[in-house]
Amino acid sequence: MKLLLLTGFAWLVALSCIAQTKTTTTLETEAVLKKKIALACRLTDKDQIKRMNELHQTLFKKVTRAVEHPASYELVFENSDNTIIGDLAEFVKFERLCCPWLVFHLTFQSEEGPISLEMGDSTETKEMVYLVMELNKLQQPASK
């Protein structure tokens, strides 16, 4: 019985160590990827960088939900207005200057319906979008 308990405890410790290693590795990978993204950004004008950061702050507060697709993320804005439309156009303009490899799809639903912005076209660009846009900070709606 003691052997069984010790074996179980040993497995628990081993699994805990593996989980910790995986978490540390994931965080290290994210840090390296963020650094590469920052170095790859082609946007150099300080005023443009400042405005892009302002747009990140403004737009992300208005996101209703983030939808994960196999190769991209889609940000949905349920309460669309002319301000969001202008900000989204400006955001895409700056992001295209910064990251010319990134693909954008801007969709306007009929009759003043939601607007969605999809970014990415591969698993690699999807991961970059997740990290750069800090989508993990967006509040997800509660499951119903």
Side-chain angles (χ1 to χ4, degrees), residues 36-139:
K36 285 182 181 178
I37 293 165
L39 291 173
C41 183
R42 296 182 180 183
L43 193 59
T44 56
D45 182 86
K46 289 181 182 180
D47 290 335
Q48 288 179 334
I49 292 170
K50 180 181 175 186
R51 179 61 182 143
M52 186 172 72
N53 289 331
E54 289 171 356
L55 287 167
H56 276 243
Q57 299 287 324
T58 304
L59 285 172
F60 285 1
K61 289 179 183 174
K62 297 178 181 181
V63 171
T64 307
R65 68 184 186 281
V67 180
E68 183 176 1
H69 297 289
S72 63
Y73 280 99
E74 178 182 7
L75 305 180
V76 179
F77 302 85
E78 293 289 338
N79 302 319
S80 58
D81 59 25
N82 288 334
T83 304
I84 289 178
I85 294 169
D87 286 349
L88 282 169
E90 191 176 10
F91 173 79
V92 170
K93 178 183 84 172
F94 286 134
E95 286 297 333
R96 291 186 69 197
L97 288 171
C98 175
C99 307
W101 42 265
L102 190 55
V103 175
F104 298 91
H105 297 277
L106 192 55
T107 305
F108 297 85
Q109 297 297 325
S110 62
E111 299 183 19
E112 303 296 320
I115 297 172
S116 62
L117 174 63
E118 189 173 348
M119 297 177 283
D121 66 341
S122 70
T123 54
E124 292 81 16
T125 58
K126 177 184 169 182
E127 183 65 21
M128 288 182 182
V129 166
Y130 182 81
L131 293 173
V132 171
M133 304 303 165
E134 298 182 330
L135 296 181
N136 58 323
K137 292 183 180 178
L138 291 178
Q139 284 198 354

